[in-house]
Amino acid sequence: MVLRVFGVLLRVAGVLMLVTSAVLGIQAWWSRFSVCLVRGEPPVPGLPEDGAGACVALQDHLYDYSVPQAPWVPIADAAQREGLSLIALGLGVAVVSLSLGGRWFVWPLSVAGGAGLAAMWAGMGEPVWRSGLAGEPVGFVDWRAASALGMLTLLSTPALALLTWFHGGRDGRLLAVFWAAMTAAQPLPELLFTLSVWGSHDTSPLRGFARCAIVAVAAVVIALTLIPVDRRDRLLPRPVRALGRAVRRALPTAAAKMRELDGRLSPSRPSRR
């Protein structure tokens, strides 16, 4: 009972940190790219006054608040918020990974994978936060060293998604979605996705927003694990619940039909003499 209560408290803390990360990240993103969506004054002087021109200009790496590298033009407190967002994301992942259950080997592997991912996010966020406070790039070498962990975390988080799907216990599928979200939120997948949706000569206006949206989804998924299994379906609209029941009833029949069809199409084995 004590361990269960401790696990619940960890997940609640993890959800709060993930939500905090998403909110701070959205605020930082809005400071830079709001002119791409609504009319307003450019966030820094010297940019075109029209929204389209300012949006294109702001896509230049000169205004990247998430990479502490010169040359750099700070935008309000976007770098501070982004740095705190990444640090909160790292802490949230670490706390959630400590609360995961399932088969005996799931917990240590989740903790190890979560620690690596948390180190990457927090290690990237700390120099970004310091750069925002200093008003100039600080700690780019530290940022680059932390981002290099992404080569390992991109392998570990998909593996954890598969592990929890099959061996994560009653919350296994929800936890698999969480680790899948943590895979999609990492810098390289986010970069490829945002450039494919909203192309750019440098930084897509969706960069940063996509990560925060995915983190928000991950927070909702972990929050759902706090609800008893028999009550989760009640949160869905009635048509969705009816569709889910129909699909579950149809799956055994469909599987039987597939086996029957496979038996008809498969050639019979020649008898041995």
Side-chain angles (χ1 to χ4, degrees):
M1 180 61 70
V2 174
L3 291 177
R4 183 175 299 179
V5 172
F6 184 64
V8 168
L9 293 177
L10 285 176
R11 292 195 185 187
V12 171
V15 169
L16 293 176
M17 291 178 187
L18 293 175
V19 171
T20 300
S21 172
V23 171
L24 290 172
I26 288 293
Q27 290 175 342
W29 168 82
W30 185 257
S31 298
R32 180 181 181 183
F33 287 119
S34 60
V35 295
C36 296
L37 303 176
V38 297
R39 291 184 178 181
E41 300 218 352
V44 293
L47 295 177
E49 294 184 0
D50 63 296
C55 178
V56 173
L58 282 167
Q59 296 173 37
D60 193 272
H61 69 276
L62 185 67
Y63 305 100
D64 282 345
Y65 55 75
S66 58
V67 181
Q69 184 180 16
W72 179 55
V73 175
I75 299 176
D77 60 351
Q80 294 101 302
R81 293 179 184 273
E82 176 73 356
L84 292 175
S85 171
L86 297 179
I87 293 171
L89 177 54
L91 293 175
V93 171
V95 170
V96 169
S97 66
L98 286 172
S99 70
L100 302 186
R103 299 287 298 276
W104 65 270
F105 49 82
V106 172
W107 186 82
L109 292 175
S110 297
V111 170
L117 188 58
M120 184 196 76
W121 286 126
M124 293 174 63
E126 190 268 343
V128 171
W129 176 65
R130 285 194 291 129
S131 297
L133 293 177
E136 60 182 5
V138 175
F140 177 67
V141 174
D142 298 334
W143 181 92
R144 186 169 55 184
S147 65
L149 282 175
M151 300 301 295
L152 296 177
T153 55
L154 272 178
L155 298 175
S156 63
T157 49
L160 287 171
L162 291 174
L163 178 70
T164 51
W165 180 275
F166 292 106
H167 303 291
R170 66 173 190 174
D171 297 324
R173 296 190 176 183
L174 287 175
L175 298 179
V177 174
F178 168 77
W179 286 119
M182 290 298 98
T183 302
Q186 293 182 54
L188 181 57
E190 187 202 18
L191 172 65
L192 297 177
F193 171 74
T194 53
L195 287 177
S196 65
V197 175
W198 191 335
S200 171
H201 66 285
D202 199 332
T203 303
S204 170
L206 291 177
R207 190 79 187 273
F209 174 83
R211 184 198 77 235
C212 295
I214 295 170
V215 170
V217 170
V220 172
V221 169
I222 295 301
L224 287 175
T225 65
L226 300 172
I227 301 173
V229 177
D230 57 343
R231 297 183 182 178
R232 291 175 188 172
D233 287 343
R234 301 177 187 176
L235 299 176
L236 299 174
R238 184 174 298 178
V240 176
R241 296 201 302 268
L243 179 61
R245 288 193 296 268
V247 170
R248 286 194 294 268
R249 287 195 298 266
L251 284 177
T253 303
K257 291 291 185 181
M258 291 295 294
R259 287 194 295 267
E260 181 181 351
L261 181 61
D262 181 66
R264 292 178 181 177
L265 296 179
S266 299
S268 58
R269 296 180 180 178
S271 58
R272 295 181 180 179
R273 296 182 179 180

PDB file of all heavy atoms in Angstrom, residues 146-185:
ATOM      1  N   ALA A 146      24.925  17.675 -24.120  1.00  0.00           N
ATOM      2  CA  ALA A 146      23.645  17.104 -23.700  1.00  0.00           C
ATOM      3  C   ALA A 146      22.823  16.647 -24.904  1.00  0.00           C
ATOM      4  O   ALA A 146      22.198  15.580 -24.875  1.00  0.00           O
ATOM      5  CB  ALA A 146      22.859  18.132 -22.882  1.00  0.00           C
ATOM      6  N   SER A 147      22.835  17.433 -25.975  1.00  0.00           N
ATOM      7  CA  SER A 147      22.051  17.060 -27.154  1.00  0.00           C
ATOM      8  C   SER A 147      22.586  15.796 -27.811  1.00  0.00           C
ATOM      9  O   SER A 147      21.845  15.091 -28.496  1.00  0.00           O
ATOM     10  CB  SER A 147      22.030  18.209 -28.160  1.00  0.00           C
ATOM     11  OG  SER A 147      23.336  18.457 -28.663  1.00  0.00           O
ATOM     12  N   ALA A 148      23.884  15.509 -27.605  1.00  0.00           N
ATOM     13  CA  ALA A 148      24.456  14.288 -28.180  1.00  0.00           C
ATOM     14  C   ALA A 148      23.823  13.035 -27.583  1.00  0.00           C
ATOM     15  O   ALA A 148      23.845  11.966 -28.205  1.00  0.00           O
ATOM     16  CB  ALA A 148      25.971  14.266 -27.965  1.00  0.00           C
ATOM     17  N   LEU A 149      23.252  13.154 -26.375  1.00  0.00           N
ATOM     18  CA  LEU A 149      22.558  12.005 -25.779  1.00  0.00           C
ATOM     19  C   LEU A 149      21.346  11.584 -26.600  1.00  0.00           C
ATOM     20  O   LEU A 149      20.845  10.468 -26.456  1.00  0.00           O
ATOM     21  CB  LEU A 149      22.104  12.348 -24.354  1.00  0.00           C
ATOM     22  CG  LEU A 149      23.154  12.322 -23.253  1.00  0.00           C
ATOM     23  CD1 LEU A 149      22.546  12.796 -21.945  1.00  0.00           C
ATOM     24  CD2 LEU A 149      23.739  10.928 -23.097  1.00  0.00           C
ATOM     25  N   GLY A 150      20.865  12.487 -27.456  1.00  0.00           N
ATOM     26  CA  GLY A 150      19.710  12.164 -28.283  1.00  0.00           C
ATOM     27  C   GLY A 150      19.936  10.967 -29.183  1.00  0.00           C
ATOM     28  O   GLY A 150      18.977  10.283 -29.573  1.00  0.00           O
ATOM     29  N   MET A 151      21.186  10.684 -29.539  1.00  0.00           N
ATOM     30  CA  MET A 151      21.467   9.506 -30.365  1.00  0.00           C
ATOM     31  C   MET A 151      21.141   8.220 -29.613  1.00  0.00           C
ATOM     32  O   MET A 151      20.760   7.216 -30.222  1.00  0.00           O
ATOM     33  CB  MET A 151      22.937   9.511 -30.780  1.00  0.00           C
ATOM     34  CG  MET A 151      23.344  10.730 -31.584  1.00  0.00           C
ATOM     35  SD  MET A 151      22.381  10.908 -33.115  1.00  0.00           S
ATOM     36  CE  MET A 151      22.908   9.449 -33.997  1.00  0.00           C
ATOM     37  N   LEU A 152      21.287   8.251 -28.272  1.00  0.00           N
ATOM     38  CA  LEU A 152      20.977   7.063 -27.466  1.00  0.00           C
ATOM     39  C   LEU A 152      19.501   7.029 -27.069  1.00  0.00           C
ATOM     40  O   LEU A 152      18.870   5.971 -27.099  1.00  0.00           O
ATOM     41  CB  LEU A 152      21.849   7.050 -26.207  1.00  0.00           C
ATOM     42  CG  LEU A 152      23.362   6.925 -26.438  1.00  0.00           C
ATOM     43  CD1 LEU A 152      24.096   7.008 -25.106  1.00  0.00           C
ATOM     44  CD2 LEU A 152      23.693   5.619 -27.150  1.00  0.00           C
ATOM     45  N   THR A 153      18.957   8.186 -26.697  1.00  0.00           N
ATOM     46  CA  THR A 153      17.560   8.205 -26.257  1.00  0.00           C
ATOM     47  C   THR A 153      16.600   7.878 -27.391  1.00  0.00           C
ATOM     48  O   THR A 153      15.515   7.340 -27.151  1.00  0.00           O
ATOM     49  CB  THR A 153      17.206   9.575 -25.654  1.00  0.00           C
ATOM     50  OG1 THR A 153      17.512  10.603 -26.604  1.00  0.00           O
ATOM     51  CG2 THR A 153      18.002   9.818 -24.386  1.00  0.00           C
ATOM     52  N   LEU A 154      16.986   8.181 -28.628  1.00  0.00           N
ATOM     53  CA  LEU A 154      16.135   7.826 -29.764  1.00  0.00           C
ATOM     54  C   LEU A 154      16.054   6.323 -29.967  1.00  0.00           C
ATOM     55  O   LEU A 154      15.161   5.831 -30.656  1.00  0.00           O
ATOM     56  CB  LEU A 154      16.637   8.499 -31.040  1.00  0.00           C
ATOM     57  CG  LEU A 154      16.090   9.897 -31.320  1.00  0.00           C
ATOM     58  CD1 LEU A 154      16.707  10.461 -32.580  1.00  0.00           C
ATOM     59  CD2 LEU A 154      14.580   9.874 -31.419  1.00  0.00           C
ATOM     60  N   LEU A 155      16.993   5.600 -29.384  1.00  0.00           N
ATOM     61  CA  LEU A 155      16.932   4.136 -29.428  1.00  0.00           C
ATOM     62  C   LEU A 155      16.217   3.572 -28.203  1.00  0.00           C
ATOM     63  O   LEU A 155      15.501   2.573 -28.298  1.00  0.00           O
ATOM     64  CB  LEU A 155      18.355   3.560 -29.505  1.00  0.00           C
ATOM     65  CG  LEU A 155      19.178   3.927 -30.742  1.00  0.00           C
ATOM     66  CD1 LEU A 155      20.587   3.371 -30.602  1.00  0.00           C
ATOM     67  CD2 LEU A 155      18.515   3.394 -32.013  1.00  0.00           C
ATOM     68  N   SER A 156      16.406   4.220 -27.054  1.00  0.00           N
ATOM     69  CA  SER A 156      15.870   3.659 -25.813  1.00  0.00           C
ATOM     70  C   SER A 156      14.368   3.870 -25.661  1.00  0.00           C
ATOM     71  O   SER A 156      13.650   2.980 -25.199  1.00  0.00           O
ATOM     72  CB  SER A 156      16.601   4.264 -24.610  1.00  0.00           C
ATOM     73  OG  SER A 156      16.377   5.662 -24.532  1.00  0.00           O
ATOM     74  N   THR A 157      13.860   5.048 -26.031  1.00  0.00           N
ATOM     75  CA  THR A 157      12.435   5.308 -25.798  1.00  0.00           C
ATOM     76  C   THR A 157      11.508   4.452 -26.670  1.00  0.00           C
ATOM     77  O   THR A 157      10.482   3.979 -26.166  1.00  0.00           O
ATOM     78  CB  THR A 157      12.121   6.805 -25.979  1.00  0.00           C
ATOM     79  OG1 THR A 157      12.684   7.268 -27.213  1.00  0.00           O
ATOM     80  CG2 THR A 157      12.700   7.608 -24.827  1.00  0.00           C
ATOM     81  N   PRO A 158      11.812   4.214 -27.955  1.00  0.00           N
ATOM     82  CA  PRO A 158      10.960   3.258 -28.697  1.00  0.00           C
ATOM     83  C   PRO A 158      11.014   1.852 -28.101  1.00  0.00           C
ATOM     84  O   PRO A 158       9.999   1.145 -28.071  1.00  0.00           O
ATOM     85  CB  PRO A 158      11.537   3.285 -30.117  1.00  0.00           C
ATOM     86  CG  PRO A 158      12.258   4.565 -30.218  1.00  0.00           C
ATOM     87  CD  PRO A 158      12.798   4.834 -28.849  1.00  0.00           C
ATOM     88  N   ALA A 159      12.193   1.458 -27.615  1.00  0.00           N
ATOM     89  CA  ALA A 159      12.305   0.146 -26.978  1.00  0.00           C
ATOM     90  C   ALA A 159      11.458   0.082 -25.707  1.00  0.00           C
ATOM     91  O   ALA A 159      10.813  -0.938 -25.430  1.00  0.00           O
ATOM     92  CB  ALA A 159      13.769  -0.150 -26.655  1.00  0.00           C
ATOM     93  N   LEU A 160      11.436   1.172 -24.946  1.00  0.00           N
ATOM     94  CA  LEU A 160      10.607   1.209 -23.742  1.00  0.00           C
ATOM     95  C   LEU A 160       9.119   1.198 -24.091  1.00  0.00           C
ATOM     96  O   LEU A 160       8.307   0.633 -23.349  1.00  0.00           O
ATOM     97  CB  LEU A 160      10.941   2.449 -22.913  1.00  0.00           C
ATOM     98  CG  LEU A 160      12.285   2.416 -22.180  1.00  0.00           C
ATOM     99  CD1 LEU A 160      12.597   3.777 -21.581  1.00  0.00           C
ATOM    100  CD2 LEU A 160      12.277   1.346 -21.098  1.00  0.00           C
ATOM    101  N   ALA A 161       8.756   1.806 -25.204  1.00  0.00           N
ATOM    102  CA  ALA A 161       7.358   1.764 -25.638  1.00  0.00           C
ATOM    103  C   ALA A 161       6.929   0.325 -25.923  1.00  0.00           C
ATOM    104  O   ALA A 161       5.850  -0.117 -25.506  1.00  0.00           O
ATOM    105  CB  ALA A 161       7.167   2.635 -26.878  1.00  0.00           C
ATOM    106  N   LEU A 162       7.769  -0.425 -26.620  1.00  0.00           N
ATOM    107  CA  LEU A 162       7.453  -1.830 -26.892  1.00  0.00           C
ATOM    108  C   LEU A 162       7.449  -2.651 -25.606  1.00  0.00           C
ATOM    109  O   LEU A 162       6.592  -3.521 -25.413  1.00  0.00           O
ATOM    110  CB  LEU A 162       8.471  -2.405 -27.878  1.00  0.00           C
ATOM    111  CG  LEU A 162       8.393  -1.873 -29.311  1.00  0.00           C
ATOM    112  CD1 LEU A 162       9.560  -2.416 -30.132  1.00  0.00           C
ATOM    113  CD2 LEU A 162       7.074  -2.268 -29.957  1.00  0.00           C
ATOM    114  N   LEU A 163       8.411  -2.386 -24.723  1.00  0.00           N
ATOM    115  CA  LEU A 163       8.510  -3.139 -23.476  1.00  0.00           C
ATOM    116  C   LEU A 163       7.264  -2.954 -22.618  1.00  0.00           C
ATOM    117  O   LEU A 163       6.683  -3.920 -22.113  1.00  0.00           O
ATOM    118  CB  LEU A 163       9.752  -2.687 -22.708  1.00  0.00           C
ATOM    119  CG  LEU A 163       9.993  -3.349 -21.352  1.00  0.00           C
ATOM    120  CD1 LEU A 163      10.384  -4.800 -21.539  1.00  0.00           C
ATOM    121  CD2 LEU A 163      11.079  -2.598 -20.575  1.00  0.00           C
ATOM    122  N   THR A 164       6.832  -1.715 -22.452  1.00  0.00           N
ATOM    123  CA  THR A 164       5.669  -1.470 -21.599  1.00  0.00           C
ATOM    124  C   THR A 164       4.371  -1.916 -22.258  1.00  0.00           C
ATOM    125  O   THR A 164       3.403  -2.243 -21.569  1.00  0.00           O
ATOM    126  CB  THR A 164       5.582   0.025 -21.236  1.00  0.00           C
ATOM    127  OG1 THR A 164       5.664   0.816 -22.432  1.00  0.00           O
ATOM    128  CG2 THR A 164       6.721   0.415 -20.313  1.00  0.00           C
ATOM    129  N   TRP A 165       4.318  -1.922 -23.581  1.00  0.00           N
ATOM    130  CA  TRP A 165       3.116  -2.398 -24.268  1.00  0.00           C
ATOM    131  C   TRP A 165       2.845  -3.857 -23.932  1.00  0.00           C
ATOM    132  O   TRP A 165       1.708  -4.265 -23.689  1.00  0.00           O
ATOM    133  CB  TRP A 165       3.270  -2.222 -25.767  1.00  0.00           C
ATOM    134  CG  TRP A 165       2.087  -2.689 -26.566  1.00  0.00           C
ATOM    135  CD1 TRP A 165       1.837  -3.968 -27.002  1.00  0.00           C
ATOM    136  CD2 TRP A 165       0.972  -1.898 -26.998  1.00  0.00           C
ATOM    137  NE1 TRP A 165       0.655  -4.011 -27.701  1.00  0.00           N
ATOM    138  CE2 TRP A 165       0.099  -2.765 -27.716  1.00  0.00           C
ATOM    139  CE3 TRP A 165       0.638  -0.558 -26.869  1.00  0.00           C
ATOM    140  CZ2 TRP A 165      -1.081  -2.313 -28.279  1.00  0.00           C
ATOM    141  CZ3 TRP A 165      -0.540  -0.112 -27.440  1.00  0.00           C
ATOM    142  CH2 TRP A 165      -1.389  -0.985 -28.130  1.00  0.00           C
ATOM    143  N   PHE A 166       3.899  -4.670 -23.893  1.00  0.00           N
ATOM    144  CA  PHE A 166       3.738  -6.112 -23.666  1.00  0.00           C
ATOM    145  C   PHE A 166       3.909  -6.508 -22.208  1.00  0.00           C
ATOM    146  O   PHE A 166       3.350  -7.528 -21.781  1.00  0.00           O
ATOM    147  CB  PHE A 166       4.743  -6.887 -24.524  1.00  0.00           C
ATOM    148  CG  PHE A 166       4.469  -6.794 -25.992  1.00  0.00           C
ATOM    149  CD1 PHE A 166       5.258  -6.005 -26.812  1.00  0.00           C
ATOM    150  CD2 PHE A 166       3.407  -7.478 -26.569  1.00  0.00           C
ATOM    151  CE1 PHE A 166       5.018  -5.917 -28.173  1.00  0.00           C
ATOM    152  CE2 PHE A 166       3.146  -7.401 -27.930  1.00  0.00           C
ATOM    153  CZ  PHE A 166       3.954  -6.606 -28.735  1.00  0.00           C
ATOM    154  N   HIS A 167       4.673  -5.755 -21.427  1.00  0.00           N
ATOM    155  CA  HIS A 167       4.991  -6.177 -20.060  1.00  0.00           C
ATOM    156  C   HIS A 167       4.751  -5.072 -19.033  1.00  0.00           C
ATOM    157  O   HIS A 167       5.269  -5.147 -17.922  1.00  0.00           O
ATOM    158  CB  HIS A 167       6.447  -6.630 -19.964  1.00  0.00           C
ATOM    159  CG  HIS A 167       6.799  -7.728 -20.915  1.00  0.00           C
ATOM    160  ND1 HIS A 167       6.307  -9.013 -20.801  1.00  0.00           N
ATOM    161  CD2 HIS A 167       7.592  -7.720 -22.029  1.00  0.00           C
ATOM    162  CE1 HIS A 167       6.779  -9.764 -21.790  1.00  0.00           C
ATOM    163  NE2 HIS A 167       7.557  -9.000 -22.542  1.00  0.00           N
ATOM    164  N   GLY A 168       3.972  -4.055 -19.374  1.00  0.00           N
ATOM    165  CA  GLY A 168       3.782  -2.931 -18.472  1.00  0.00           C
ATOM    166  C   GLY A 168       2.636  -3.068 -17.501  1.00  0.00           C
ATOM    167  O   GLY A 168       2.280  -2.097 -16.828  1.00  0.00           O
ATOM    168  N   GLY A 169       2.019  -4.243 -17.417  1.00  0.00           N
ATOM    169  CA  GLY A 169       0.924  -4.430 -16.484  1.00  0.00           C
ATOM    170  C   GLY A 169      -0.371  -3.819 -16.973  1.00  0.00           C
ATOM    171  O   GLY A 169      -0.591  -3.643 -18.170  1.00  0.00           O
ATOM    172  N   ARG A 170      -1.241  -3.453 -16.044  1.00  0.00           N
ATOM    173  CA  ARG A 170      -2.569  -2.947 -16.409  1.00  0.00           C
ATOM    174  C   ARG A 170      -2.503  -1.611 -17.142  1.00  0.00           C
ATOM    175  O   ARG A 170      -3.400  -1.277 -17.914  1.00  0.00           O
ATOM    176  CB  ARG A 170      -3.434  -2.794 -15.165  1.00  0.00           C
ATOM    177  CG  ARG A 170      -2.958  -1.735 -14.195  1.00  0.00           C
ATOM    178  CD  ARG A 170      -3.944  -1.503 -13.078  1.00  0.00           C
ATOM    179  NE  ARG A 170      -3.592  -0.324 -12.291  1.00  0.00           N
ATOM    180  CZ  ARG A 170      -4.340   0.179 -11.330  1.00  0.00           C
ATOM    181  NH1 ARG A 170      -5.496  -0.396 -11.036  1.00  0.00           N
ATOM    182  NH2 ARG A 170      -3.969   1.259 -10.664  1.00  0.00           N
ATOM    183  N   ASP A 171      -1.449  -0.837 -16.902  1.00  0.00           N
ATOM    184  CA  ASP A 171      -1.292   0.454 -17.574  1.00  0.00           C
ATOM    185  C   ASP A 171      -0.317   0.377 -18.739  1.00  0.00           C
ATOM    186  O   ASP A 171       0.133   1.410 -19.249  1.00  0.00           O
ATOM    187  CB  ASP A 171      -0.797   1.515 -16.584  1.00  0.00           C
ATOM    188  CG  ASP A 171      -1.786   1.760 -15.464  1.00  0.00           C
ATOM    189  OD1 ASP A 171      -2.997   1.706 -15.725  1.00  0.00           O
ATOM    190  OD2 ASP A 171      -1.341   2.002 -14.319  1.00  0.00           O
ATOM    191  N   GLY A 172      -0.013  -0.831 -19.175  1.00  0.00           N
ATOM    192  CA  GLY A 172       1.048  -1.007 -20.164  1.00  0.00           C
ATOM    193  C   GLY A 172       0.837  -0.225 -21.445  1.00  0.00           C
ATOM    194  O   GLY A 172       1.763   0.409 -21.961  1.00  0.00           O
ATOM    195  N   ARG A 173      -0.380  -0.254 -21.981  1.00  0.00           N
ATOM    196  CA  ARG A 173      -0.607   0.418 -23.265  1.00  0.00           C
ATOM    197  C   ARG A 173      -0.567   1.933 -23.129  1.00  0.00           C
ATOM    198  O   ARG A 173      -0.089   2.635 -24.023  1.00  0.00           O
ATOM    199  CB  ARG A 173      -1.938  -0.044 -23.856  1.00  0.00           C
ATOM    200  CG  ARG A 173      -1.915  -1.528 -24.182  1.00  0.00           C
ATOM    201  CD  ARG A 173      -3.107  -1.970 -24.988  1.00  0.00           C
ATOM    202  NE  ARG A 173      -2.991  -3.380 -25.341  1.00  0.00           N
ATOM    203  CZ  ARG A 173      -3.860  -4.037 -26.094  1.00  0.00           C
ATOM    204  NH1 ARG A 173      -4.922  -3.407 -26.573  1.00  0.00           N
ATOM    205  NH2 ARG A 173      -3.674  -5.312 -26.382  1.00  0.00           N
ATOM    206  N   LEU A 174      -1.060   2.449 -22.017  1.00  0.00           N
ATOM    207  CA  LEU A 174      -0.957   3.887 -21.793  1.00  0.00           C
ATOM    208  C   LEU A 174       0.503   4.313 -21.637  1.00  0.00           C
ATOM    209  O   LEU A 174       0.922   5.347 -22.178  1.00  0.00           O
ATOM    210  CB  LEU A 174      -1.750   4.287 -20.552  1.00  0.00           C
ATOM    211  CG  LEU A 174      -3.274   4.267 -20.674  1.00  0.00           C
ATOM    212  CD1 LEU A 174      -3.920   4.570 -19.330  1.00  0.00           C
ATOM    213  CD2 LEU A 174      -3.745   5.267 -21.719  1.00  0.00           C
ATOM    214  N   LEU A 175       1.278   3.505 -20.919  1.00  0.00           N
ATOM    215  CA  LEU A 175       2.686   3.840 -20.748  1.00  0.00           C
ATOM    216  C   LEU A 175       3.440   3.729 -22.064  1.00  0.00           C
ATOM    217  O   LEU A 175       4.396   4.481 -22.305  1.00  0.00           O
ATOM    218  CB  LEU A 175       3.311   2.914 -19.698  1.00  0.00           C
ATOM    219  CG  LEU A 175       2.707   3.025 -18.295  1.00  0.00           C
ATOM    220  CD1 LEU A 175       3.375   2.045 -17.345  1.00  0.00           C
ATOM    221  CD2 LEU A 175       2.821   4.449 -17.762  1.00  0.00           C
ATOM    222  N   ALA A 176       3.018   2.802 -22.921  1.00  0.00           N
ATOM    223  CA  ALA A 176       3.630   2.713 -24.248  1.00  0.00           C
ATOM    224  C   ALA A 176       3.374   3.984 -25.050  1.00  0.00           C
ATOM    225  O   ALA A 176       4.264   4.481 -25.759  1.00  0.00           O
ATOM    226  CB  ALA A 176       3.089   1.495 -24.983  1.00  0.00           C
ATOM    227  N   VAL A 177       2.170   4.531 -24.928  1.00  0.00           N
ATOM    228  CA  VAL A 177       1.863   5.792 -25.600  1.00  0.00           C
ATOM    229  C   VAL A 177       2.733   6.919 -25.033  1.00  0.00           C
ATOM    230  O   VAL A 177       3.210   7.792 -25.768  1.00  0.00           O
ATOM    231  CB  VAL A 177       0.367   6.128 -25.461  1.00  0.00           C
ATOM    232  CG1 VAL A 177       0.067   7.511 -26.025  1.00  0.00           C
ATOM    233  CG2 VAL A 177      -0.484   5.082 -26.160  1.00  0.00           C
ATOM    234  N   PHE A 178       2.950   6.893 -23.715  1.00  0.00           N
ATOM    235  CA  PHE A 178       3.807   7.905 -23.098  1.00  0.00           C
ATOM    236  C   PHE A 178       5.214   7.862 -23.679  1.00  0.00           C
ATOM    237  O   PHE A 178       5.766   8.894 -24.072  1.00  0.00           O
ATOM    238  CB  PHE A 178       3.857   7.682 -21.584  1.00  0.00           C
ATOM    239  CG  PHE A 178       4.922   8.489 -20.886  1.00  0.00           C
ATOM    240  CD1 PHE A 178       4.740   9.845 -20.647  1.00  0.00           C
ATOM    241  CD2 PHE A 178       6.101   7.892 -20.480  1.00  0.00           C
ATOM    242  CE1 PHE A 178       5.720  10.594 -20.016  1.00  0.00           C
ATOM    243  CE2 PHE A 178       7.093   8.630 -19.845  1.00  0.00           C
ATOM    244  CZ  PHE A 178       6.905   9.982 -19.612  1.00  0.00           C
ATOM    245  N   TRP A 179       5.804   6.671 -23.763  1.00  0.00           N
ATOM    246  CA  TRP A 179       7.165   6.571 -24.286  1.00  0.00           C
ATOM    247  C   TRP A 179       7.206   6.878 -25.778  1.00  0.00           C
ATOM    248  O   TRP A 179       8.198   7.433 -26.273  1.00  0.00           O
ATOM    249  CB  TRP A 179       7.740   5.189 -24.012  1.00  0.00           C
ATOM    250  CG  TRP A 179       8.112   4.963 -22.578  1.00  0.00           C
ATOM    251  CD1 TRP A 179       7.612   4.019 -21.733  1.00  0.00           C
ATOM    252  CD2 TRP A 179       9.069   5.709 -21.817  1.00  0.00           C
ATOM    253  NE1 TRP A 179       8.186   4.136 -20.495  1.00  0.00           N
ATOM    254  CE2 TRP A 179       9.086   5.152 -20.513  1.00  0.00           C
ATOM    255  CE3 TRP A 179       9.908   6.776 -22.096  1.00  0.00           C
ATOM    256  CZ2 TRP A 179       9.923   5.644 -19.510  1.00  0.00           C
ATOM    257  CZ3 TRP A 179      10.731   7.267 -21.092  1.00  0.00           C
ATOM    258  CH2 TRP A 179      10.727   6.701 -19.821  1.00  0.00           C
ATOM    259  N   ALA A 180       6.151   6.540 -26.501  1.00  0.00           N
ATOM    260  CA  ALA A 180       6.089   6.923 -27.916  1.00  0.00           C
ATOM    261  C   ALA A 180       6.050   8.446 -28.061  1.00  0.00           C
ATOM    262  O   ALA A 180       6.705   9.023 -28.944  1.00  0.00           O
ATOM    263  CB  ALA A 180       4.872   6.291 -28.581  1.00  0.00           C
ATOM    264  N   ALA A 181       5.284   9.108 -27.176  1.00  0.00           N
ATOM    265  CA  ALA A 181       5.247  10.571 -27.191  1.00  0.00           C
ATOM    266  C   ALA A 181       6.613  11.152 -26.851  1.00  0.00           C
ATOM    267  O   ALA A 181       7.056  12.143 -27.459  1.00  0.00           O
ATOM    268  CB  ALA A 181       4.190  11.079 -26.211  1.00  0.00           C
ATOM    269  N   MET A 182       7.305  10.546 -25.894  1.00  0.00           N
ATOM    270  CA  MET A 182       8.631  11.025 -25.542  1.00  0.00           C
ATOM    271  C   MET A 182       9.633  10.824 -26.674  1.00  0.00           C
ATOM    272  O   MET A 182      10.629  11.545 -26.768  1.00  0.00           O
ATOM    273  CB  MET A 182       9.132  10.303 -24.283  1.00  0.00           C
ATOM    274  CG  MET A 182       8.406  10.699 -23.008  1.00  0.00           C
ATOM    275  SD  MET A 182       8.592  12.474 -22.596  1.00  0.00           S
ATOM    276  CE  MET A 182       7.062  13.154 -23.236  1.00  0.00           C
ATOM    277  N   THR A 183       9.374   9.860 -27.531  1.00  0.00           N
ATOM    278  CA  THR A 183      10.210   9.682 -28.720  1.00  0.00           C
ATOM    279  C   THR A 183       9.941  10.789 -29.727  1.00  0.00           C
ATOM    280  O   THR A 183      10.866  11.407 -30.269  1.00  0.00           O
ATOM    281  CB  THR A 183       9.935   8.318 -29.367  1.00  0.00           C
ATOM    282  OG1 THR A 183      10.189   7.269 -28.423  1.00  0.00           O
ATOM    283  CG2 THR A 183      10.824   8.098 -30.586  1.00  0.00           C
ATOM    284  N   ALA A 184       8.661  11.057 -29.982  1.00  0.00           N
ATOM    285  CA  ALA A 184       8.292  12.067 -30.977  1.00  0.00           C
ATOM    286  C   ALA A 184       8.676  13.475 -30.552  1.00  0.00           C
ATOM    287  O   ALA A 184       8.893  14.342 -31.402  1.00  0.00           O
ATOM    288  CB  ALA A 184       6.793  12.000 -31.246  1.00  0.00           C
ATOM    289  N   ALA A 185       8.768  13.726 -29.247  1.00  0.00           N
ATOM    290  CA  ALA A 185       9.069  15.073 -28.759  1.00  0.00           C
ATOM    291  C   ALA A 185      10.548  15.413 -28.821  1.00  0.00           C
ATOM    292  O   ALA A 185      10.907  16.589 -28.652  1.00  0.00           O
ATOM    293  CB  ALA A 185       8.583  15.219 -27.320  1.00  0.00           C
TER     294      ALA A 185
END
